[in-house]
Amino acid sequence: MTEIQAGTEGAAGAAATAPAPDSPPVPAIELAGVVKEYLAHGEVVQAVKGITMTISEGEFFSLLGPSGCGKTTTMRMIAGFEDPSRGTVRLHGQDVTDVPPNKRDVNMVFQSYALFPHMNVWENVAFGLRRKKVAAAEIKRRVGEMLEIVDLTGREKRRPREMSGGQQQRVALARALVNNPRALLLDEPLGALDLKLRQAMQIELKRIQREVGITFVYVTHDQSEALTMSDRIAVMNDGLVEQLAAPREIYERPATAFVAGFIGTSNLLGGTVDRVASGCAVLRAGDEGRILVAGDAHRAGDDVTVTVRPEKITISAEEPGGEVSAVRGTVSEVVYLGLYNSYAVRLADGAEITVFQQNALDSTSTAERGEAVWLSWQPRHSYAIGS
Amino acid sequence: MKRLTPYLLILPGGMWLLIFLVVPMVFMASVSTQEGDIVNGFVQTFNVSVYGEALAQYRTQFLRSVGYGLVATVVSVAMAYPMAYWIAFRGGARKSTYLLLVLLPFFVSFVLRTISWKFLLADDGLLLSPLKSTGLLPDDFHILQTTTAVIGGLVYNYLPFMILPIYVALERVDPRVIEAAQDLYASKREAFAKIVLPLSLPGVFAGVLMTFVPMTADYVNAGILGGPANTMIGNIIQIEYLTNQDYPVASALSFTLMAAMLIGIFAYARALGTENVLEAAAR
Ligand SMILES: Nc1ncnc2c1ncn2[C@@H]1O[C@H](COP(=O)(O)OP(=O)(O)OP(=O)(O)O)[C@@H](O)[C@H]1O
Ligand SMILES: [Mg+2]
């Protein structure tokens, strides 16, 4: 693979139109109160129930959520294939709600690639430039450079059906990127690839995005993919955005129970606030347990649900002292996972807590199945979530 | 057993074609080079001059048939394509109903349908008599016994054979591919010209094959809807066989027609082979 040439133009173009430093930058994509309703068998189905969000220039932005939550529909409204039932779509500050897709300066990589079956690789990639009436010599140069970037030089004459899934995926990417769009929309572009190829393409996509510097809106239902690649993630559920934040924030501070459950493994615990002391709310959990939540958002008597990531919890045989959360339970399962062990600990109220413990050499915190143990964690690792 | 399977699969169809196509053709080829008449019997003399003589005698009808076939094919494509397009992309849940409607005429016999056209289009028939009595058309206006009537009948009778293959080709075009073209700055018209049309050309190609050949060889439409000036080669062959009982001439004409069709089709396939067409469209 070679250093990128063709795409730098897009970045330069974006820089040239960037506003003066004192005015706030114009976001690449803005959705305001966007709703999409379909009429299916006489019934109104709300695929998207009201999304308002802003995607910045040059950002790697992911839409993450389970199947059927409205990711593709949202994407198709940005690209212009669907008209929102309500709300507006703005691209670089311009209202494009009624602009057809061929007049929008964004390009899409389809979930199924949608390559032109009667054209070879070169013609597929050149399609957009030809429609824009770019000079033949320049088309030749840019298509050549783009094919080099996606490592398909020498395969120009192949038809899509004569290529592997990974190669087709790269043609689809090249076909969109060669136009230097101001934003690239990718709908689960790696969904059809096997794990190894997918990981290689993830790195590749991220590299290309860094080099061309254009906004990527990336749809996926794979949480690890979203976490490793994105600058920010919108976690969607049932037509709504549940949380929009940086990956770390989403992982460490899930805003809702859905996000906590969808992203990684996470434990949900609940209790009633007993007292508030020294910047901590103390919840009673069971007869002997306590949960400490950092912050002063809670009053005595509130019912609060918190999430704790499995790797933040320590297992011990003795009751831990100090300003930490501590609950009692019985180890119901131990799974050896190489770098760490995964424990399932059942609490008195029946809740099951997952705990990851790193396998250090001098590991003191090992427990056997059936053993009664204490679980503890720092107050700042308890995150109270909205109900 | 495994190795025999492919042969067993083609056996029934193969036998059918052998008995009902190849055998009569060999027989006809032999008849075409015989001499004699129906009373005294025909004798094999390997006389091939009958080919040149028959062709010279019926040159007009030959050319007329090809001309009618070409015009009727072009008209059929022009009428069938929009219809197939509409059913494939706008048919929604009722696609199969519309297809059934297209096929509905097949439930009535070919000859009967053509005769009903004759009633409709007659000089004092359902269509013309009201127009004439109200003075919209002159009294001596007529449709029957004209080229228009024959070509109209041909188009009517063979149209479903054009619609179906085009429909099948259009139905297979992935709507995402059309969207991808629009995403890549193609207008609706360009997306049609660059994507939909080329991808449906194999269907048009098949439709042309399935209609041009039988339309050119047709004799029912010219016989029922046409006049003496519209006689096609199919009518001549019929007359030579059944009326004149000049079997060698009839056989020679049949063979000439078949050879002309085969050559024409191969030339057409070569010139307009789907691959070539697709390559041209990809530009
Ligand atoms: N054309 C349509 N007519 C009716 N309902 C639709 C239509 N398109 C989508 N839907 C519905 O809208 C919801 C969201 O669909 P969408 O394709 O956006 O999901 P998604 O998040 O992309 O899912 P996946 O991960 O499976 O691709 C689904 O419940 C779907 O059934
Ligand atoms: Mg989808």
Side-chain angles (χ1 to χ4, degrees):
Chain A
M1 306 234 173
T2 56
E3 280 308 296
I4 194 152
Q5 295 285 316
T8 48
E9 189 181 314
T17 55
D22 45 313
S23 69
V26 176
I29 298 165
E30 286 168 278
L31 301 183
V34 170
V35 173
K36 180 66 193 180
E37 289 168 348
Y38 289 110
L39 203 64
H41 306 288
E43 259 180 77
V44 175
V45 180
Q46 280 204 331
V48 171
K49 296 181 177 168
I51 291 187
T52 298
M53 63 187 185
T54 303
I55 301 170
S56 322
E57 185 85 56
E59 188 171 28
F60 197 117
F61 188 94
S62 289
L63 288 173
L64 173 66
S67 187
C69 70
K71 305 182 295 289
T72 298
T73 308
T74 306
M75 184 84 108
R76 289 173 60 81
M77 287 191 286
I78 299 173
F81 297 122
E82 307 282 356
D83 293 326
S85 309
R86 285 191 289 285
T88 50
V89 178
R90 270 190 293 275
L91 295 179
H92 301 95
Q94 216 173 32
D95 186 342
V96 295
T97 314
D98 299 317
V99 175
N102 57 322
K103 302 263 165 60
R104 295 191 188 192
D105 203 6
V106 296
N107 287 125
M108 181 143 168
V109 177
F110 286 77
Q111 201 161 2
S112 52
Y113 312 146
L115 297 177
F116 306 128
H118 58 303
M119 299 185 189
N120 64 31
V121 168
W122 198 92
E123 291 157 345
N124 262 281
V125 177
F127 189 89
L129 295 176
R130 281 173 162 174
R131 299 288 85 70
K132 285 205 286 192
K133 308 265 185 295
V134 174
E138 187 177 347
I139 294 181
K140 210 168 165 210
R141 180 181 63 81
R142 278 166 69 172
V143 172
E145 284 171 359
M146 189 44 71
L147 288 177
E148 213 165 305
I149 289 167
V150 297
D151 204 16
L152 283 173
T153 308
R155 300 220 161 75
E156 290 88 349
K157 290 273 180 293
R158 296 262 192 106
R159 288 282 175 84
R161 64 167 176 278
E162 298 162 348
M163 321 236 312
S164 73
Q167 290 168 335
Q168 290 183 31
Q169 200 281 328
R170 282 180 279 160
V171 177
L173 191 64
R175 185 178 70 171
L177 270 179
V178 76
N179 305 295
N180 293 332
R182 294 186 67 181
L184 187 68
L185 312 174
L186 303 104
D187 192 356
E188 301 201 33
L190 310 181
L193 307 183
D194 63 49
L195 184 66
K196 223 176 145 148
L197 193 54
R198 191 155 75 226
Q199 284 168 345
M201 282 307 296
Q202 282 172 5
I203 296 168
E204 198 57 17
L205 271 178
K206 191 70 193 160
R207 180 185 67 82
I208 290 172
Q209 194 259 343
R210 244 192 336 266
E211 286 178 9
V212 298
I214 61 176
T215 315
F216 270 40
V217 182
Y218 191 92
V219 164
T220 179
H221 60 240
D222 179 340
Q223 45 120 345
S224 68
E225 191 168 283
L227 289 173
T228 52
M229 296 174 78
S230 321
D231 296 322
R232 284 194 308 154
I233 301 173
V235 182
M236 288 183 66
N237 182 32
D238 198 20
L240 289 169
V241 173
E242 298 248 342
Q243 187 173 9
L244 198 167
R248 193 173 187 88
E249 170 99 3
I250 288 204
Y251 186 78
E252 308 253 328
R253 296 173 213 251
T256 65
F258 172 82
V259 177
F262 192 73
I263 307 285
T265 316
S266 119
N267 299 301
L268 284 178
L269 298 109
T272 310
V273 178
D274 192 37
R275 63 198 149 86
V276 181
S278 58
C280 262
V282 182
L283 281 63
R284 225 197 337 262
D287 292 335
E288 325 160 74
R290 60 179 190 272
I291 298 169
L292 275 61
V293 186
D296 49 10
H298 307 289
R299 309 262 160 278
D302 285 357
D303 280 326
V304 176
T305 304
V306 302
T307 72
V308 191
R309 291 289 173 194
E311 68 274 18
K312 309 290 187 198
I313 302 174
T314 310
I315 294 188
S316 56
E318 307 296 316
E319 179 172 0
E323 290 288 288
V324 295
S325 304
V327 293
R328 242 176 111 65
T330 313
V331 177
S332 55
E333 207 171 340
V334 185
V335 181
Y336 175 72
L337 289 170
L339 266 180
Y340 59 88
N341 286 344
S342 168
Y343 298 88
V345 178
R346 194 168 294 282
L347 306 186
D349 63 359
E352 190 155 277
I353 303 293
T354 307
V355 181
F356 297 156
Q357 293 285 269
Q358 212 151 7
N359 282 322
L361 277 176
D362 59 342
S363 187
T364 48
S365 57
T366 49
E368 302 293 322
R369 226 180 101 169
E371 204 176 311
V373 293
W374 283 91
L375 304 179
S376 59
W377 62 93
Q378 296 295 319
R380 65 174 196 281
H381 291 142
S382 310
Y383 284 102
I385 59 178
S387 44
Chain B
M1 188 58 212
K2 265 236 171 78
R3 281 216 244 132
L4 277 179
T5 311
Y7 300 104
L8 288 176
L9 285 174
I10 63 161
L11 195 64
M15 290 299 285
W16 184 272
L17 288 178
L18 187 72
I19 295 168
F20 292 106
L21 186 73
V22 178
V23 171
M25 264 182 20
V26 171
F27 184 70
M28 230 168 60
S30 121
V31 170
S32 74
T33 52
Q34 293 176 3
E35 277 178 295
D37 58 56
I38 189 78
V39 182
N40 303 312
F42 295 97
V43 189
Q44 181 59 271
T45 58
F46 298 102
N47 165 35
V48 291
S49 64
V50 65
Y51 278 84
E53 286 158 19
L55 191 60
Q57 192 183 350
Y58 296 116
R59 194 163 161 268
T60 329
Q61 286 83 355
F62 245 114
L63 292 177
R64 183 184 294 141
S65 298
V66 174
Y68 283 10
L70 284 175
V71 173
T73 303
V74 171
V75 174
S76 295
V77 173
M79 285 172 67
Y81 199 98
M83 217 160 143
Y85 184 93
W86 190 87
I87 299 176
F89 290 112
R90 299 286 138 82
R94 293 212 189 80
K95 272 183 196 172
S96 33
T97 314
Y98 298 135
L99 282 179
L100 186 72
L101 288 178
V102 166
L103 293 176
L104 210 56
F106 286 155
F107 291 86
V108 179
S109 121
F110 183 84
V111 178
L112 218 60
R113 272 183 280 145
T114 312
I115 290 176
S116 72
W117 263 56
K118 189 171 173 154
F119 283 121
L120 271 175
L121 301 179
D123 290 357
D124 50 2
L126 279 172
L127 180 70
L128 292 188
S129 74
L131 290 173
K132 282 180 181 173
S133 61
T134 53
L136 282 170
L137 285 175
D139 262 356
D140 57 351
F141 185 86
H142 60 97
I143 297 178
L144 282 187
Q145 313 223 336
T146 63
T147 306
T148 317
V150 178
I151 291 179
L154 287 172
V155 170
Y156 164 69
N157 277 310
Y158 291 98
L159 196 60
F161 293 110
M162 187 66 92
I163 295 176
L164 287 181
I166 297 179
Y167 167 80
V168 170
L170 285 171
E171 171 66 24
R172 280 171 39 190
V173 176
D174 180 359
R176 313 261 148 198
V177 170
I178 305 171
E179 286 182 349
Q182 289 175 7
D183 187 58
L184 294 163
Y185 319 111
S187 62
K188 286 216 154 92
R189 185 187 298 227
E190 280 177 309
F192 175 79
K194 294 287 168 189
I195 308 297
V196 180
L197 185 62
L199 288 177
S200 66
L201 279 182
V204 177
F205 184 85
V208 168
L209 282 189
M210 283 169 71
T211 54
F212 174 71
V213 176
M215 286 200 290
T216 304
D218 184 83
Y219 64 94
V220 174
N221 286 282
I224 295 177
L225 303 173
N230 308 115
T231 314
M232 291 171 73
I233 196 66
N235 303 87
I236 300 293
I237 295 172
Q238 189 202 17
I239 290 166
E240 288 293 352
Y241 260 117
L242 301 180
T243 312
N244 298 352
Q245 296 185 318
D246 192 340
Y247 297 155
V249 168
S251 303
L253 283 174
S254 301
F255 260 104
T256 314
L257 179 64
M258 204 172 78
M261 289 287 133
L262 282 176
I263 292 169
I265 283 163
F266 277 116
Y268 166 71
R270 268 201 91 113
L272 267 172
T274 31
E275 278 299 300
N276 293 341
V277 175
L278 292 182
E279 248 147 57
R283 249 162 244 143

